[in-house]
Amino acid sequence: MSAFDAFPLGQPAFVTNVLDRAAHLRRDDEKLFVLEQKPSSRAYVVYRDSLLVKREGDKVRALLGIDEALKCGANPGTVFLGLRDGVAVFGMGLSQAAAEKLVGGGDYAVTELRGMAMQGGIPPEELSAVAMAKSMVGWHQRHGYCANCGTRTAMKEGGWKRDCPSCKAEHFPRTDPVVIMLVASGDKCLLGRQKQFPAGMYSCLAGFVEAAETIEDAVRREILEESGIRCTDVQYYMTQPWPYPSSLMIGCSARAVSEDIVVDHAELEDARWFTREEAALMLTRTHPDGLAGPHPFAIAHHLLGRWVRDKSSA
């Protein structure tokens, strides 16, 4: 299966949720304990930006039994992700020491999530649950102490809350909104590249939404700051959860009202206008100059692909 088959237009990674979050179970500690002990229950085990998988021939399996996860050194404290066909699914973390023990062969391996997902190593329908596990486990690892008084906090409600026993503050998982946008001027679109991108790759511009800022204002501000281009007619397209560490990519389009680019080199290595024909070649990796667009894994590919396909969206 190619990346275009795995992530067809309008369906980037992490958007197909097959879990019933079953939020009504989060406050039932006794029920969650019983579910965690059931042989049928499963878990995704994450380590930083990687995932614990079991090798099965030339494939890998990311959804593990609880006993398998514990055998590999996963932390016993679990996050309840929800139910899939009535089966409980949890998120678990892995320590550095446990991850290092798995290096060098064996049935289990810790593999970088993004590359594995882009290559089709994990079924696309599982990626939303994996993203949930990665975001939640990472949040607990980074927020173990009360931001109000500094006391060690306790996991509550199946991992969807942390309580401070000292000042009684409640802490909840955060998601950071990020705008990512395809800016067009007639039959040209604006794309940029960062220094860490693969050679020849260009993508949509993006940036975090700031405090007390609308999505529309964030789109206009980020485009102006990074490229010097002024734009208008901001339109929402779709969102993509992005577990690096826990963002929500808000895909938008906009119409440019200026075309003279002034690149902010603190943010971008380059920014250019590309014709619709060039963009189509970049998406299929057939551009004569070796230029490429974003991978179908990412929402940027779908923003660009939609514009290439539908002239009325420009």
Side-chain angles (χ1 to χ4, degrees):
M1 178 185 292
S2 73
F4 294 95
D5 296 324
F7 305 108
L9 195 61
Q11 296 181 43
F14 307 124
V15 301
T16 304
N17 182 24
V18 296
L19 293 184
D20 170 6
R21 293 178 181 246
H24 63 283
L25 294 175
R26 294 176 185 173
R27 295 185 181 180
D28 192 337
D29 292 341
E30 183 176 340
K31 179 66 172 178
L32 289 179
F33 179 78
V34 170
L35 288 173
E36 195 172 339
Q37 308 309 309
K38 291 186 71 171
S40 60
S41 294
R42 293 293 181 262
Y44 292 106
V45 182
V46 297
Y47 172 67
R48 297 181 180 173
D49 288 340
S50 297
L51 189 67
L52 175 65
V53 297
K54 184 177 182 181
R55 299 186 180 98
E56 296 180 334
D58 58 352
K59 297 182 179 180
V60 297
R61 173 167 55 85
L63 191 57
L64 306 177
I66 301 293
D67 288 345
E68 288 182 288
L70 293 174
K71 181 177 69 175
C72 292
N75 299 331
T78 56
V79 177
F80 175 63
L81 304 180
L83 304 174
R84 181 171 185 179
D85 299 326
V87 174
V89 180
F90 295 87
M92 304 176 75
L94 196 68
S95 69
Q96 181 176 345
E100 289 174 349
K101 288 182 180 179
L102 297 170
V103 175
D107 292 338
Y108 297 89
V110 177
T111 306
E112 195 268 330
L113 171 59
R114 189 182 315 205
M116 186 166 46
M118 290 171 68
Q119 295 164 16
I122 303 175
E125 64 270 16
E126 289 192 51
L127 291 176
S128 177
V130 172
M132 196 189 314
K134 183 180 182 308
S135 292
M136 293 297 295
V137 169
W139 177 72
H140 283 288
Q141 291 173 342
R142 296 189 306 274
H143 294 84
Y145 295 87
C146 179
N148 189 47
C149 72
T151 301
R152 180 75 181 179
T153 54
M155 181 186 292
K156 298 291 183 180
E157 297 188 10
W160 291 86
K161 175 182 172 184
R162 295 191 73 92
D163 280 351
C164 177
S166 178
C167 71
K168 309 304 179 184
E170 298 177 317
H171 303 276
F172 297 92
R174 60 176 291 173
T175 296
D176 299 316
V178 178
V179 289
I180 181 164
M181 41 275 175
L182 194 284
V183 181
S185 178
D187 271 349
K188 296 182 296 184
C189 69
L190 178 69
L191 300 174
R193 61 170 282 108
Q194 298 179 2
K195 291 180 180 179
Q196 67 268 28
F197 283 3
M201 176 184 163
Y202 282 77
S203 187
C204 299
L205 274 58
F208 286 97
V209 180
E210 295 187 347
E213 187 175 42
T214 67
I215 291 171
E216 293 84 357
D217 282 345
V219 167
R220 289 186 286 263
R221 175 184 55 77
E222 284 288 344
I223 292 294
L224 181 61
E225 288 177 356
E226 295 189 358
S227 68
I229 299 298
R230 297 186 180 277
C231 62
T232 187
D233 296 343
V234 177
Q235 300 290 324
Y236 167 78
Y237 171 46
M238 69 176 296
T239 56
Q240 179 189 29
W242 191 250
Y244 296 97
S246 190
S247 296
L248 182 65
M249 308 299 291
I250 305 168
C252 297
S253 62
R255 179 173 61 85
V257 295
S258 64
E259 293 190 358
D260 293 332
I261 296 173
V262 181
V263 177
D264 178 359
H265 289 287
E267 296 286 340
L268 299 174
E269 183 178 80
D270 187 30
R272 291 172 47 185
W273 291 105
F274 293 90
T275 65
R276 204 179 298 266
E277 290 73 21
E278 283 183 294
L281 293 172
M282 292 165 70
L283 287 175
T284 56
R285 306 295 198 273
T286 56
H287 194 284
D289 295 332
L291 302 181
H295 191 278
F297 174 83
I299 191 174
H301 172 96
H302 300 263
L303 281 163
L304 186 57
R306 173 174 171 263
W307 177 77
V308 167
R309 180 198 66 187
D310 185 6
K311 292 184 179 182
S312 66
S313 68

